[in-house]
Amino acid sequence: MTTIISGYVNQHHLRMTRDPGCTCEYCELRELFVDNLDGDELDIVCTGKVERDYVQGASIIKEGTQIREFSYLKSGLVKLLRTDTSGKEQIISIAKPMDYVSLLSVFSNQRYNYSVVALEDSVTCSLKMEEVRSLINDNGRLALNLLSKMSRMTDKLILDSLQIRVKHLRGRVAYLLLYFSEDVYSSDEFDLPLSRKEMAEYVGMTTENVIRTLSEFRKDGILKIYGKTIQIANMDSLKSIAEFG
Amino acid sequence: MTTIISGYVNQHHLRMTRDPGCTCEYCELRELFVDNLDGDELDIVCTGKVERDYVQGASIIKEGTQIREFSYLKSGLVKLLRTDTSGKEQIISIAKPMDYVSLLSVFSNQRYNYSVVALEDSVTCSLKMEEVRSLINDNGRLALNLLSKMSRMTDKLILDSLQIRVKHLRGRVAYLLLYFSEDVYSSDEFDLPLSRKEMAEYVGMTTENVIRTLSEFRKDGILKIYGKTIQIANMDSLKSIAEFG
DNA sequence: CAAACGATATGATAAATGTCATAACATGAC
DNA sequence: GTCATGTTATGACATTTATCATATCGTTTG
């Protein structure tokens, strides 16, 4: 579009499109979308990307809508969920920054078969699917890194799902609490980003039984509970329950 | 390795390595590994691929071993499984031809974190990982198709796992029977490739309760059971149970 | 052939989970 | 403030599932 007159102008042009407002050089996904790209490719990403802010509770993706973008989570926390035939919601997984939001379906289906909702204030960064396809087509290193990244993500997702599937209620709840403590907040004290109802939708049990289990953990001295704030008082017990109970 | 003397010799050389014994042109994976490759690339696949036969019950991949190959199932049926901390086996999923055996881990981990065992006499076809990486690196069309294929597979796997997670025993068993009937054998009468114990390992319940549930289905006129042979007598009921029960 | 073993099957009972009812509490709407 | 609403919480009870015991059947082993 812009006619290049000289090397200098070209450089200037590149700087203009990458800056200001293009913070791709400082993206957490450097390793994937920056380090693997040459100048022109990075330019496509920089000018093509769209960042969006979502407040807690906002809908990011609606099940059934067309897939036009490849998105990932820059900051915040989201849940992936489906609505079953009887209208009940089932939480498939929880994604934190660096987990791809567009994990499932993007490269296969035309439409999302799940929804995404912000559990905390969140920021996403999206590229048009055609652009991503084009980049992959032209850049083998990017393709390999993307395969590796997606493989790692789905691997974890599948094994987490298996863990929950084979455990009983206490084990499922303990597993979920440990996920927040270890993988998300890196602390033994944190604010639960899920309601008890959502926890139930995730572990596949009833809300009452999730509440009861939390109460049991409290009575057993494993947890201290102040509303949504959870403090893990006996980490060893919780881990033991998550693994065997 | 072979010095090329002339165009003719080169052609001859290619024919020799692709034929005889190279049936890649007739592979079920044409769409992926043949249609996307040019002559030289196809040559790499043809000469590099290794086919292996496994009898029913044979171990194909052992959890914890190094990943050196990218494999898929040409014929037969296999189960993917893990051994949990207490030594109990958990079946992650069942794979039929065209499902990638090397679905998980291949592009991320150094080692398999699951095992693969033949449920029926099976044939696998494998390529060295380095060769696959090299092909992907050089061929964007192959990369995109592989991403699409893997995306489709993991998508189904994750949603299947979710379905089983949220259902009760009757629903889980019904879902599994429908999988065999619809996805594997395309018939309402088939021989169960799993023992009752393996079915239990898959649905995450006890062997006794799987047996009991099958008996219930028989008493309710939904199934006819002759040992391992299952005939679905009331498909509508079974589907209804798989969906709601 | 008998013996040993695993898979299938069923019953009795204990434990886990779901369902229904009720209440306390916080929050936002008016 | 009052009201309505949703979340958290607990109890009573019904249902589902796990555990343990036992028996049959078929296959393998010697």
Side-chain angles (χ1 to χ4, degrees):
Chain A
M1 304 171 219
T2 304
T3 309
I4 306 305
I5 302 176
S6 75
Y8 174 76
V9 171
N10 185 24
Q11 272 194 337
H12 180 70
H13 168 70
L14 284 176
R15 207 176 334 116
M16 284 299 284
T17 52
R18 288 198 212 156
D19 296 326
C22 180
T23 54
C24 291
E25 284 88 347
Y26 310 105
C27 176
E28 296 87 347
L29 281 185
R30 274 198 70 87
E31 29 136 352
L32 189 57
F33 273 119
V34 179
D35 293 354
N36 286 315
L37 302 179
D38 66 25
D40 287 347
E41 290 172 332
L42 187 55
D43 204 35
I44 292 173
V45 172
C46 275
T47 55
K49 73 152 198 283
V50 180
E51 281 192 29
R52 296 195 185 90
D53 292 347
Y54 297 92
V55 297
Q56 186 185 340
S59 168
I60 298 175
I61 288 169
K62 277 190 208 309
E63 192 177 340
T65 58
Q66 249 197 313
I67 299 175
R68 299 178 197 279
E69 294 178 327
F70 180 88
S71 307
Y72 72 93
L73 190 63
K74 281 199 84 165
S75 67
L77 196 71
V78 302
K79 63 175 175 178
L80 277 64
L81 58 100
R82 272 171 65 89
T83 307
D84 75 4
T85 40
S86 63
K88 254 186 67 176
E89 291 190 349
Q90 306 160 337
I91 296 185
I92 301 169
S93 75
I94 292 163
K96 56 179 193 296
M98 304 303 292
D99 295 349
Y100 285 98
V101 172
S102 292
L103 183 65
L104 318 171
S105 313
V106 244
F107 286 101
S108 53
N109 295 25
Q110 289 291 319
R111 293 175 182 282
Y112 291 103
N113 46 26
Y114 57 92
S115 299
V116 179
V117 171
L119 292 174
E120 299 175 351
D121 292 351
S122 298
V123 179
T124 62
C125 184
S126 303
L127 285 169
K128 290 202 182 85
M129 274 309 292
E130 310 96 75
E131 283 171 3
V132 174
R133 282 183 196 282
S134 162
L135 287 171
I136 293 168
N137 193 55
D138 298 344
N139 187 329
R141 233 175 103 204
L142 176 67
L144 279 169
N145 274 288
L146 195 58
L147 268 167
S148 170
K149 182 87 183 163
M150 291 191 71
S151 180
R152 205 152 40 227
M153 296 306 314
T154 52
D155 210 24
K156 176 143 176 46
L157 213 163
I158 288 164
L159 293 178
D160 278 349
S161 183
L162 178 70
Q163 289 304 311
I164 289 177
R165 194 166 99 197
V166 298
K167 287 182 198 312
H168 288 183
L169 180 49
R170 285 168 62 90
R172 294 182 185 199
V173 173
Y175 194 82
L176 182 54
L177 292 174
L178 283 176
Y179 169 76
F180 288 127
S181 169
E182 295 179 345
D183 289 7
V184 180
Y185 299 113
S186 303
S187 165
D188 57 1
E189 186 171 346
F190 55 87
D191 283 359
L192 270 177
L194 298 180
S195 68
R196 312 293 196 259
K197 180 159 171 281
E198 285 173 317
M199 289 180 69
E201 284 166 357
Y202 186 59
V203 302
M205 302 274 169
T206 59
T207 308
E208 295 96 318
N209 279 329
V210 168
I211 292 171
R212 250 185 276 270
T213 303
L214 288 173
S215 294
E216 277 176 35
F217 287 169
R218 176 172 47 71
K219 285 170 194 162
D220 294 347
I222 297 169
L223 297 181
K224 291 186 178 172
I225 304 178
Y226 317 98
K228 286 214 178 297
T229 304
I230 298 282
Q231 189 191 334
I232 300 174
N234 189 337
M235 184 62 86
D236 289 345
S237 283
L238 195 65
K239 283 187 179 171
S240 171
I241 292 169
E243 195 173 354
F244 304 107
Chain B
M1 304 173 220
T2 306
T3 308
I4 306 305
I5 301 176
S6 75
Y8 175 74
V9 172
N10 186 24
Q11 272 194 338
H12 180 70
H13 168 70
L14 285 176
R15 208 179 330 118
M16 285 297 286
T17 52
R18 287 197 213 157
D19 296 326
C22 179
T23 54
C24 291
E25 285 88 348
Y26 310 105
C27 177
E28 295 88 348
L29 282 185
R30 275 196 69 88
E31 29 136 351
L32 190 58
F33 273 119
V34 178
D35 293 353
N36 286 314
L37 304 177
D38 67 26
D40 287 347
E41 291 173 330
L42 187 56
D43 204 35
I44 292 173
V45 171
C46 274
T47 55
K49 75 153 197 284
V50 181
E51 279 192 31
R52 297 194 186 89
D53 292 347
Y54 297 92
V55 297
Q56 185 185 342
S59 168
I60 297 175
I61 288 169
K62 276 190 209 309
E63 191 178 339
T65 57
Q66 251 197 312
I67 298 175
R68 300 179 196 279
E69 294 179 328
F70 180 90
S71 307
Y72 73 93
L73 189 63
K74 280 200 84 164
S75 66
L77 197 71
V78 303
K79 62 174 175 179
L80 277 64
L81 57 100
R82 275 172 63 89
T83 307
D84 74 5
T85 39
S86 62
K88 254 186 68 176
E89 290 189 351
Q90 307 160 337
I91 296 185
I92 301 169
S93 75
I94 292 163
K96 57 180 191 296
M98 302 304 292
D99 296 349
Y100 285 98
V101 171
S102 293
L103 183 66
L104 318 172
S105 313
V106 246
F107 286 101
S108 54
N109 295 26
Q110 289 292 318
R111 293 174 182 282
Y112 291 103
N113 47 25
Y114 58 92
S115 299
V116 179
V117 171
L119 292 174
E120 299 175 351
D121 293 350
S122 298
V123 179
T124 63
C125 185
S126 303
L127 285 168
K128 291 203 181 83
M129 273 310 290
E130 310 96 75
E131 285 171 2
V132 174
R133 282 183 196 281
S134 162
L135 287 172
I136 292 168
N137 194 55
D138 298 344
N139 187 328
R141 233 175 104 204
L142 176 66
L144 279 170
N145 274 289
L146 195 58
L147 268 167
S148 170
K149 183 87 183 162
M150 290 191 71
S151 179
R152 205 153 41 228
M153 297 306 312
T154 52
D155 210 24
K156 176 144 175 46
L157 213 163
I158 288 164
L159 293 179
D160 278 349
S161 183
L162 178 70
Q163 289 304 311
I164 289 177
R165 194 166 100 196
V166 298
K167 287 180 198 310
H168 288 183
L169 181 48
R170 286 168 62 91
R172 294 183 185 199
V173 173
Y175 193 82
L176 181 54
L177 292 174
L178 282 177
Y179 169 76
F180 288 127
S181 169
E182 294 179 345
D183 289 8
V184 180
Y185 299 114
S186 303
S187 165
D188 57 2
E189 185 171 346
F190 55 88
D191 283 0
L192 269 176
L194 298 180
S195 68
R196 310 295 196 260
K197 180 159 170 283
E198 285 172 317
M199 289 180 69
E201 285 166 356
Y202 186 59
V203 302
M205 303 273 170
T206 58
T207 308
E208 294 97 319
N209 280 329
V210 169
I211 292 171
R212 249 185 277 270
T213 304
L214 288 173
S215 294
E216 277 176 35
F217 287 168
R218 176 173 46 71
K219 285 169 193 161
D220 294 346
I222 297 169
L223 297 181
K224 291 185 179 173
I225 305 178
Y226 318 96
K228 286 214 178 298
T229 303
I230 298 284
Q231 189 192 333
I232 300 174
N234 190 336
M235 183 62 86
D236 290 344
S237 283
L238 195 65
K239 282 186 180 172
S240 171
I241 293 169
E243 195 172 354
F244 305 106

